[in-house]
Amino acid sequence: MMDGFVFVDDVVPGIRWDAKYATWDNFTGKPVDGYLANRVVGTRALCTALERAQELAASLGFGLLLWDGYRPQRAVDCFLHWSQQPEDGRTKSRHYPNIARAEMFEKGYVAARSGHSRGSTVDLTLYDLATGELVSMGGDHDLMDPISHHGARGIASVEARNRQHLRSIMETCGFRAYECEWWHYTLDNEPYPDTYFDFPIT
């Protein structure tokens, strides 16, 4: 692994994760290039901020579950290649019901140069510390639809409140939100703001 990068769970004890792109449970329908282990990697600076976020979340009765952190550039390239293939319908209804594959890039849900590849961006959600159950957010990870935008209409008040809890926690701890995806946050003072890494997660 590159210097300055670590497995998040090694540095933030008790944090939960489910690295979706290392599994078959993602919008491509199979493990993605560069994800050879179901672990989440990030910069040390990211982990320091996540530790603060986890403490703040716990004070509100929540834990953090990570879906993605550092993303190799080869994975982003894999997304681009996948978007150019004929539609097979396997993941469309769950992840991009109202757009075509190629529109993911046009509408800002997937980027050819992703902040994830700089190592200080995470996709995450909240879970209830008492029950271990994920809280309802009005849509799952990588639902590429306006319903996933901050301030989206058509979600229940409890779901809007849960999204606001997550946003408040993350922004208080030095992250900025991405308006199209309620789960996506980038560290304000990321250590590698102009570098896109490509080492695999192993």
Side-chain angles (χ1 to χ4, degrees):
M1 196 180 318
M2 291 284 298
D3 287 345
F5 285 77
V6 292
F7 290 116
V8 176
D9 59 288
D10 281 344
V11 180
V12 189
I15 202 160
R16 287 172 54 185
W17 75 93
D18 178 13
K20 291 296 189 183
Y21 301 126
T23 76
W24 292 78
D25 184 19
N26 63 69
F27 70 86
T28 72
K30 63 181 182 179
V32 177
D33 292 354
Y35 289 86
L36 305 179
N38 191 328
R39 300 285 295 277
V40 175
V41 168
T43 62
R44 289 189 179 276
L46 174 81
C47 292
T48 298
L50 282 176
E51 195 164 23
R52 293 196 303 269
Q54 181 174 245
E55 291 172 359
L56 180 54
S59 74
L60 301 172
F62 299 116
L64 304 181
L65 176 105
L66 308 183
W67 283 314
D68 195 28
Y70 161 70
R71 180 181 303 165
Q73 181 61 42
R74 70 191 71 184
V76 178
D77 297 342
C78 178
F79 293 162
L80 182 59
H81 176 74
W82 174 87
S83 74
Q84 297 166 346
Q85 304 309 302
E87 180 59 62
D88 58 21
R90 290 190 304 131
T91 63
K92 182 171 176 58
S93 62
R94 180 176 174 188
H95 289 287
Y96 52 106
N98 299 309
I99 61 172
R101 289 186 179 192
E103 291 181 283
M104 293 178 184
F105 290 84
E106 297 167 17
K107 294 185 178 295
Y109 297 116
V110 184
R113 298 281 275 178
S114 172
H116 283 278
S117 299
R118 302 193 299 264
S120 293
T121 293
V122 287
D123 294 341
L124 79 170
T125 191
L126 300 173
Y127 68 90
D128 188 308
L129 281 177
T131 67
E133 296 295 319
L134 299 187
V135 304
S136 180
M137 290 290 196
D140 204 356
H141 175 246
D142 273 353
L143 173 57
M144 303 178 204
D145 189 86
I147 201 74
S148 296
H149 297 188
H150 287 283
R153 297 180 179 180
I155 64 173
S157 59
V158 67
E159 295 165 342
R161 191 161 57 249
N162 288 336
R163 290 187 185 187
Q164 186 53 46
H165 280 314
L166 178 60
R167 184 168 188 164
S168 177
I169 289 165
M170 297 302 284
E171 290 183 341
T172 297
C173 295
F175 291 86
R176 63 184 180 274
Y178 178 54
E179 291 302 322
C180 291
E181 298 174 346
W182 62 258
W183 56 83
H184 177 115
Y185 289 87
T186 298
L187 192 63
D188 280 326
N189 296 315
E190 52 184 316
Y192 306 107
D194 302 308
T195 306
Y196 295 82
F197 296 93
D198 190 38
F199 62 90
I201 298 169
T202 58

